[in-house]
Amino acid sequence: MSPTPADFCADPRQDLLPVEHARARILEAVQCVTAVEQLHLRAALGRVLVEAVVANIDVPPFDNSAMDGYALRSQDCSDTSPSVLEVIGTSFAGKPYEGKVSERQCVRIMTGAVLPEGADAVIMQEQVERNEDQISFPGGQVGAGQNVRYAGEDSRRGDTVLEPGIKLGAAEIGLLASVGVSEVRVSRQLRVAFFSTGDELTAVGSPLGKGQIYDSNRYTLFGLLSKLGVDCYDLGVIPDRREAVRAAFRQAGDMADLILTSGGVSVGEADFVTETLGELGEINFWRMAMKPGKPLAFGRMGNAVFFGLPGNPVSVLVTFYQFVLPAIRKMSGEKQRDPMLIQARCTQDLKKAPGRMEFQRGILKREGDGSWSVTSTGMQGSHLLGSMSKSNCFILLAAESGGASSGQTVTVQPFLDLV
Ligand code: AMP
Ligand code: MG
């Protein structure tokens, strides 16, 4: 039987779970959605391939010119003395020259046009002098294969051009089009339901009452999820009442593959998320050796994977980046990839107490000498959403670290395009 929230609350000395262990447990617990869809390339943008794509043609399909110039036989061009060749026709892109290039002949050719039979090289038009039906150029300018793009140089017929587990971006759908593939099989879009909890939360657009704050987390989550291309369902703000939280859990569990909530996972008197998860679903753990983001509920609700993120706005972003993102990638069928980490020199002292891994907000910058430096955004409170907006990376400080001094090298995780 899985432990109940009470089991966790009962023992405040319960060991904090290291970030890497938590991530490993999460990845072990989540599975890829099994449903598959066949989509046209444009509709498949942002989706994950479920099977390898094999090229049925060579790309390029024929030998062609990389330049505007003249297609010729390299053996007609002596290494030393000037060459004079007769121009016998033109090969345009899409309109090949049908004849053959014989001794001392050449064909005017445009970029992407078929290399005519007999020719094995192209000289750039800037390198020749044209006189009516003749071109001349100095010796030592042409070697076999020069300015020729060979058939199959990009992909060969029978090559696997994309492996399963690849998320299709602009380059990938372009690549698929280049091999003539118009439809692909991809995994179904993930359905993610999310809601905020808290009696203090007001939706933007309404005036703030006493003791109220605006609900920002649903907007942050909407931003993150939209960029990831999942299907998202915003279930609004749920008040801190047992029945309301239960109802929201049931509704989300019926519709989603993944449920994200924020707030209500601490041990406060109005924190019903963990309790409800233990009661209606399955709870795994909830105290993390990290800052910000110590309380985190992870489990299941019906068929959905459940993350109860902390309420503080910065904690939402940190825990999303560290745990939800890898889970979404796995659930969408994407191959796991290691996070991109950079070593950077910090420009000031960074304060930290040993015990929990910290994700401080930093500004990563490339210096004039090509090295990377990182500067803290300043105060690191988990309620300071402005610090997130100013930053472009997390500065990762290991649990046992007691901080870093100015000039020391630290590990940094850039946000890339997500935050
Ligand atoms: P909780 O985890 O519910 O105790 O919330 C921790 C802190 O985060 C409190 O200061 C809450 O007011 C704040 N908070 C919770 N949810 C939100 C939200 N959706 N938007 C902004 N702040 C929030
Ligand atoms: Mg709350």
Side-chain angles (χ1 to χ4, degrees):
M1 209 182 87
S2 58
T4 67
D7 295 330
F8 292 104
C9 300
D11 182 5
R13 292 158 306 146
Q14 180 215 6
D15 283 343
L16 298 179
L17 191 67
V19 171
E20 306 73 45
H21 292 199
R23 199 181 292 121
R25 285 171 66 167
I26 288 166
L27 287 175
E28 211 179 279
V30 305
Q31 307 303 330
C32 173
V33 292
T34 48
V36 168
E37 287 174 349
Q38 178 144 342
L39 295 181
H40 185 268
L41 283 190
R42 283 179 206 264
L45 181 65
R47 298 293 200 91
V48 180
L49 271 184
V50 296
E51 61 189 16
V53 177
V54 174
N56 272 329
I57 55 166
D58 283 345
V59 179
F62 46 85
D63 297 346
N64 69 91
S65 178
M67 295 287 172
D68 292 333
Y70 294 86
L72 44 74
R73 300 161 10 118
S74 57
Q75 72 263 43
D76 287 345
C77 311
S78 130
D79 263 357
T80 48
S81 42
S83 302
V84 179
L85 304 178
E86 183 198 351
V87 184
I88 57 168
T90 304
S91 185
F92 290 98
K95 235 186 285 158
Y97 175 73
E98 302 292 354
K100 183 176 170 185
V101 179
S102 305
E103 207 175 326
R104 307 241 138 248
Q105 292 182 330
C106 68
V107 161
R108 174 89 174 105
I109 193 165
M110 311 304 163
T111 305
V114 175
L115 192 71
E117 194 186 335
D120 68 347
V122 171
I123 187 166
M124 282 165 68
Q125 61 189 26
E126 293 82 354
Q127 292 178 321
V128 309
E129 199 167 302
R130 171 113 189 215
N131 249 319
E132 304 206 330
D133 281 351
Q134 282 197 335
I135 57 165
S136 54
F137 48 91
Q141 306 240 355
V142 183
Q146 176 177 299
N147 295 324
V148 175
R149 306 190 291 207
Y150 289 105
E153 233 172 40
D154 195 0
S155 340
R156 281 205 170 280
R157 184 194 172 107
D159 277 356
T160 295
V161 290
L162 289 175
E163 301 279 355
I166 295 276
K167 184 165 178 164
L168 301 174
E172 285 75 25
I173 60 169
L175 175 62
L176 291 166
S178 79
V179 297
V181 168
S182 60
E183 290 194 344
V184 281
R185 283 159 57 77
V186 294
S187 44
R188 171 170 72 66
Q189 208 171 13
L190 215 59
R191 296 187 192 119
V192 184
F194 59 98
F195 57 88
S196 296
T197 67
D199 281 341
E200 75 280 33
L201 302 176
T202 300
V204 287
S206 305
L208 280 183
K210 197 168 175 204
Q212 298 279 300
I213 58 167
Y214 283 118
D215 170 16
S216 59
N217 290 344
R218 275 189 305 131
Y219 286 85
T220 304
L221 288 174
F222 170 79
L224 292 163
L225 294 168
S226 300
K227 281 217 167 160
L228 288 170
V230 301
D231 211 356
C232 55
Y233 302 89
D234 182 344
L235 303 186
V237 178
I238 307 301
D240 290 322
R241 273 186 286 108
R242 262 194 194 87
E243 242 344 287
V245 174
R246 280 188 195 134
F249 263 69
R250 290 201 183 94
Q251 186 190 359
D254 283 344
M255 68 200 299
D257 304 304
L258 175 64
I259 304 169
L260 304 177
T261 68
S262 70
V265 288
S266 314
V267 284
E269 283 174 15
D271 290 331
F272 299 123
V273 169
T274 322
E275 179 187 301
T276 310
L277 183 61
E279 186 186 285
L280 299 184
E282 205 181 289
I283 177 167
N284 286 317
F285 62 79
W286 75 310
R287 278 163 50 89
M288 313 288 306
M290 69 191 289
K291 190 178 172 186
K294 184 158 122 189
L296 180 100
F298 172 71
R300 265 180 191 286
M301 172 66 208
N303 290 324
V305 171
F306 182 97
F307 281 93
L309 307 180
N312 276 306
V314 176
S315 310
V316 168
L317 274 151
V318 172
T319 49
F320 187 97
Y321 215 87
Q322 302 305 321
F323 305 116
V324 181
L325 181 58
I328 286 183
R329 289 201 171 124
K330 181 166 181 197
M331 293 175 77
S332 307
E334 238 186 299
K335 267 196 309 222
Q336 281 308 315
R337 41 183 148 141
D338 292 330
M340 187 201 271
L341 301 177
I342 290 178
Q343 297 299 114
R345 188 174 33 79
C346 59
T347 61
Q348 84 251 78
D349 292 350
L350 300 174
K351 275 203 260 168
K352 176 188 180 295
R356 292 194 270 158
M357 180 171 184
E358 287 197 14
F359 297 83
Q360 299 197 0
R361 272 71 69 208
I363 302 163
L364 181 65
K365 184 173 153 219
R366 204 168 126 90
E367 298 292 348
D369 63 0
S371 66
W372 292 101
S373 74
V374 67
T375 305
S376 166
T377 54
M379 279 175 22
Q380 293 290 315
S382 60
H383 58 300
L384 302 172
L385 201 45
S387 75
M388 236 9 253
S389 169
K390 284 193 204 102
S391 62
N392 59 7
C393 67
F394 291 125
I395 305 170
L396 309 187
L397 298 170
E400 62 282 4
S401 145
S405 17
S406 176
Q408 204 177 316
T409 297
V410 289
T411 302
V412 152
Q413 182 175 30
F415 296 153
L416 304 177
D417 212 17
L418 192 60
V419 173

